[in-house]
Amino acid sequence: MRHTNLRIHAIETFIAIVEAGSMREAGRRLGLSKSVISQRLGSLESALNVRLLSRSTRQQALTHTGRNFFERCQKIIEEFQLAAEEVSDPPGEFSGTIRVAAPVSFAERHLMTVFSEFSRRNPNINLQIEADDRMHDLVGESFDMAIRIGRLSNSALIVRRFGASNRVVVCSPRYLLEKGRPSSIESLESHCAVAYANITSQAEWTFRRGPEVKTVAPKSHMRVNSGNLQLAAVKDGMAIAALPLFLVHDAIEKGELEVLNFDWQLLPDDLCVVYPQNRFLARKVRALSSAIIAHVGTPPYWERGMGQDPQAVLHV
């Protein structure tokens, strides 16, 4: 074996190809052309004198040898990156790339400030933000971390819960004039709602009152895959919705939306930072996570900033 022909960037490129699922996508993530990606893979296979990937114009797949090599090298590269980071970055300074996934509406309203400040303080960091309301495959898409909101149970991820995302039932003054005010949580089932398509359970709303739990299912004439679209539909007066306070607190303060208060409280979601289990948690990723958590605060700043006590709004 010609060990002298092995290059660390070729191994990193091979790992990126496997994780991305294609040479084109690996090139996009690494900022390289497909031809450079192909050349690096070819040089690695030539140095090892083995075929790592069986590939055609339509698909690629790891060979048996390639899978073993990938699993070993993935751990080695991560250890190498961690060692390089510890040696090259002075305390409190960071470099390299951080890939973050986050929901669109939450990122737009509450994360861009902390992302911008983190970038200003760390000019050698390449911060890549993927704002999307779908659930990303953190391992397959090579994300270092993600912000998720909900009740998570995926054991393939490391989950760090840092707060509660309280939700309220809201509607516009126009809706109340046209449709009337729901008198109880049971009466919600006779009202029209706009549902969030990325969560299958959105068709049902679960409420709590002390030890009691009750579920109701409002009629849903519209399903959207964006919290921003839900908010817009409710402001237009076409429906009610169960929405997080981080999304609606401004509209409530401005009088554009009204909270429908009952003796019951919607079950809150969790605010979480999640990480892939098979990745080392680099100092720069821990630092960004801590900055996000500190920025949001406990309780979250959008609840503290409301004109009235959010506990009173929620009838806790």
Side-chain angles (χ1 to χ4, degrees), residues 36-57:
V36 171
I37 296 293
S38 179
Q39 182 181 19
R40 287 187 178 182
L41 176 61
S43 67
L44 179 61
E45 290 180 326
S46 177
L48 295 171
N49 197 29
V50 296
R51 177 64 67 123
L52 299 172
L53 288 172
S54 59
R55 46 199 181 273
S56 66
T57 55

Side-chain angles (χ1 to χ4, degrees), residues 72 122 127 146 166 183:
R72 295 286 297 275
N122 301 280
L127 196 55
N166 287 306
S183 58

Side-chain angles (χ1 to χ4, degrees), residues 248-303:
V248 299
H249 70 287
D250 280 342
I252 294 170
E253 286 286 283
K254 295 174 183 177
E256 297 171 333
L257 295 181
E258 184 170 333
V259 177
L260 299 177
N261 285 320
F262 307 100
D263 292 333
W264 299 75
Q265 176 192 350
L266 281 165
L267 289 182
D269 290 323
D270 290 331
L271 295 171
C272 303
V273 184
V274 298
Y275 318 94
Q277 277 193 347
N278 68 337
R279 299 259 177 94
F280 71 88
L281 193 55
R283 286 193 306 122
K284 59 191 175 187
V285 177
R286 292 197 301 269
L288 179 57
S289 300
S290 296
I292 290 171
I293 292 169
H295 175 71
V296 170
T298 305
Y301 68 84
W302 54 83
E303 293 188 4

Side-chain angles (χ1 to χ4, degrees), residues 5-57:
N5 288 341
L6 287 174
R7 296 289 184 268
I8 193 71
H9 62 69
I11 297 173
E12 289 176 322
T13 300
F14 166 65
I15 291 172
I17 294 170
V18 176
E19 291 182 338
S22 71
M23 285 189 280
R24 185 180 301 280
E25 177 60 19
R28 187 187 71 82
R29 295 181 187 181
L30 295 175
L32 300 171
S33 67
K34 183 181 177 182
S35 61
V36 171
I37 296 293
S38 179
Q39 182 181 19
R40 287 187 178 182
L41 176 61
S43 67
L44 179 61
E45 290 180 326
S46 177
L48 295 171
N49 197 29
V50 296
R51 177 64 67 123
L52 299 172
L53 288 172
S54 59
R55 46 199 181 273
S56 66
T57 55

Side-chain angles (χ1 to χ4, degrees), residues 132-186:
D132 196 322
D133 283 349
R134 69 183 177 88
M135 285 287 190
H136 290 271
D137 176 1
L138 299 194
V139 176
E141 298 179 59
S142 301
F143 283 101
D144 297 294
M145 59 179 284
I147 303 299
R148 288 190 176 167
I149 303 169
R151 291 180 285 279
L152 308 182
S153 60
N154 189 343
S155 60
L157 300 172
I158 299 170
V159 179
R160 181 181 179 186
R161 182 186 181 278
F162 64 93
S165 174
N166 287 306
R167 298 184 300 142
V168 289
V169 180
V170 290
C171 67
S172 70
R174 175 182 174 183
Y175 182 90
L176 291 176
L177 285 173
E178 295 179 354
K179 306 294 183 181
R181 181 183 297 274
S183 58
S184 64
I185 61 171
E186 291 83 5

Side-chain angles (χ1 to χ4, degrees), residues 20 27 192 276:
C192 296

